[in-house]
Amino acid sequence: MKKNKIIVAGIGPGSPEDITPAVLQAVQASDVIVGYKYYFRFIKDYVRPDALCIDSGMKAERQRAEEAFRYALEGKTVCVISSGDAGIYGMSPLIYEMMREKGITDQVEVEVLPGISAFQKAAALLGCPIGHDLCIISLSDLMTPWLRIEKRIEAAAAGDFITAIYNPKSQGRYWQIYRLLEIFAQHRSPDTPIGYVRQAGREEQVVKLTTLAEFDPEELDMFTVVIIGNTQSYNFEGHFITPRGYYDEGTLDKDAKIGQAIMIESFRTINSELANPNIPLDHKWALIHSIHTTADFEMEKILYSDPGAVSSIYQAMLDGKFDTIITDVTMVASGIRKGMLERLGLQVKCYLNDPRTKELADLKGITRSQAGIRLAVEEHPNALFAVGNAPTAIIELCDLIRRGKAQPTGMVVAPVGFVQVRESKYMAKVFKDIPKIIVEGRKGGSNLAATLVNSILTLDDAEALRPGRDV
């Protein structure tokens, strides 16, 4: 049996220039044109005089599909028109589902012709905002429960997708866009570009580029498409740009050694997966280092630093206020980059294996860690102290600070274990005038203490997210 034909055609966002030649040919060849009445104005010059035009109002999609099949089964060639692309919130899915429902697959042939979608037209008018991975979300909850929509919004925001929003606002649907912005604000910086285009490609067209912080949802309506950038998107002289590669990798990494290149890529991955990227840069730099060392994103919750602590210690190093880093164990010392120390003119000292340490520990009945800290304070009271193993080292240091015998330039507090570990960290936190980084709770370790020292001394690499030059 000869199949009858339905062509489902996307006529683009609204400008005659944006209708593809294939769609225009389909319109000219069709006996019946079915569509929303508003869209006929865009194709009227291409409809045959003898063609039957069946138009209907909003929310009559199923009725239009029924009409299309009725005429197709009479042997007519039917063109069902959809704005934008017929497969994106358009008529294509409904036509295919109805064909399956009616069981007439062997009687009707369906062809889908793509069109320029509204989000593509909007993107072109804004610049190049969709240069990387993207998703499209409709805020209309007429056919999709809101909780499912919100779950998709959460995924798009957390996944760092460029996100195009259809149906952002109408008379009866006004609060959903505010909830979406609230979710995105948890994953994007306030200066993230947001562009919107109203009536794309039509005479009433409005194009605006703004930011997440300045965006005003009251300017939107159901004829508007909104595009939210990812964490790499930026505004360049009024053009919304999302780079194809992250951080211009082609030029950034060309002079990096293999070890550094791997480290750079790891840091970028961590940065893109942070639950809350909108934190001060110096703390973020320490946090990324700690996650890189542990592969543990719980560090976001347990890594504490005084406001500006990393910047403060780094500046003190530049100002020559200390030239020595004291560690409680040799494992911390061995993890601090040697090339960096040489470049900056710093030394690392650990007194744990100093012969005087054992003598003092035996004499006073204290641990070697405590004895080592006492000796270190006598010789380097203003050093940067980094503890990654023994809580008693922190307890001793805190006692010496309280007695006025030590005034560290900074403290990295990361002892690990079960006895006196939490208590030692509470003690360290008391000293408000000493900048410090603390791994809270029971976690810590020599590797963490060392990497946190590395983060402090390489803060000048943080802006470009380019670690590892001394690796």
Side-chain angles (χ1 to χ4, degrees), residues 124-129 193 209 233-242:
L125 292 167
L126 289 163
C128 54
L209 178 57
S233 301
Y234 60 92
N235 180 342
F236 173 69
E237 296 182 354
H239 303 289
F240 188 161
I241 300 171
T242 301

Side-chain angles (χ1 to χ4, degrees), residues 200-470:
R202 300 170 187 169
E203 290 182 4
E204 309 93 327
Q205 175 178 289
V206 175
V207 180
K208 184 169 181 179
L209 178 57
T210 182
T211 65
L212 183 59
E214 299 295 327
F215 185 68
D216 182 6
E218 294 304 315
E219 298 174 357
L220 308 179
D221 61 18
M222 63 181 293
F223 297 104
T224 309
V225 174
V226 180
I227 299 179
I228 305 174
N230 67 13
T231 53
Q232 285 74 46
S233 301
Y234 60 92
N235 180 342
F236 173 69
E237 296 182 354
H239 303 289
F240 188 161
I241 300 171
T242 301
R244 176 61 186 90
Y246 292 107
Y247 298 94
D248 194 17
E249 291 178 25
T251 58
L252 181 63
D253 300 344
K254 65 182 180 181
D255 59 342
K257 296 177 182 178
I258 293 175
Q260 185 186 12
I262 293 172
M263 196 171 181
I264 290 170
E265 186 62 28
S266 297
F267 272 46
R268 289 173 181 157
T269 300
I270 294 166
N271 186 57
S272 69
E273 294 182 13
L274 291 176
N276 180 18
N278 303 320
I279 54 179
L281 180 62
D282 69 330
H283 180 76
K284 179 189 280 191
W285 190 236
L287 175 61
I288 293 175
H289 272 79
S290 66
I291 295 173
H292 179 252
T293 296
T294 62
D296 185 359
F297 276 84
E298 190 190 2
M299 297 306 301
E300 285 196 77
K301 298 178 181 177
I302 65 174
L303 184 69
Y304 166 86
S305 68
D306 292 324
V310 176
S311 297
S312 177
I313 301 171
Y314 176 72
Q315 188 60 50
M317 182 269 297
L318 293 181
D319 294 341
K321 293 183 179 179
F322 73 93
D323 61 5
T324 302
I325 302 165
I326 300 297
T327 69
D328 63 325
V329 291
T330 55
M331 283 293 290
V332 177
S334 65
I336 300 172
R337 295 178 206 155
K338 303 303 181 288
M340 175 186 65
L341 295 171
E342 184 177 341
R343 174 169 57 84
L344 297 174
L346 301 174
Q347 65 172 342
V348 176
K349 297 191 73 173
C350 176
Y351 286 79
L352 190 65
N353 296 318
D354 189 308
R356 296 173 297 167
T357 299
K358 185 177 185 309
E359 293 175 10
L360 182 60
D362 292 342
L363 179 65
K364 299 294 185 180
I366 58 177
T367 67
R368 287 170 59 205
S369 296
Q370 286 175 286
I373 291 296
R374 286 190 187 183
L375 291 174
V377 164
E378 288 179 8
E379 297 180 4
H380 304 283
N382 301 321
L384 169 61
F385 284 77
V387 175
N389 182 65
T392 55
I394 289 295
I395 293 169
E396 184 68 27
L397 181 59
C398 290
D399 182 59
L400 292 168
I401 294 170
R402 291 186 72 244
R403 290 195 282 136
K405 294 188 175 183
Q407 187 60 41
T409 301
M411 299 167 66
V412 173
V413 183
V416 62
F418 300 94
V419 179
Q420 294 185 307
V421 171
R422 285 195 175 103
E423 293 86 345
S424 70
K425 295 171 182 180
Y426 297 147
M427 292 177 192
K429 219 170 191 179
V430 168
F431 301 103
K432 301 298 183 183
D433 58 337
I434 300 174
K436 54 199 165 294
I437 308 173
I438 301 174
V439 180
E440 296 183 319
R442 291 172 171 174
K443 289 187 177 181
S446 299
N447 56 345
L448 262 177
T451 200
L452 290 170
V453 172
N454 290 336
S455 73
I456 293 169
L457 302 182
T458 60
L459 185 59
D460 54 334
D461 294 330
E463 189 71 42
L465 209 66
R466 186 176 168 84
R469 56 178 147 156
D470 298 302

Side-chain angles (χ1 to χ4, degrees), residues 107 165 433:
Q107 300 176 53
I165 309 298
D433 58 337

Side-chain angles (χ1 to χ4, degrees), residues 81-102:
I81 57 172
S82 246
S83 68
D85 181 277
I88 302 176
Y89 307 124
M91 289 292 293
S92 298
L94 180 55
I95 293 292
Y96 273 107
E97 287 184 296
M98 187 171 287
M99 180 170 62
R100 185 191 66 171
E101 179 186 277
K102 292 178 176 294

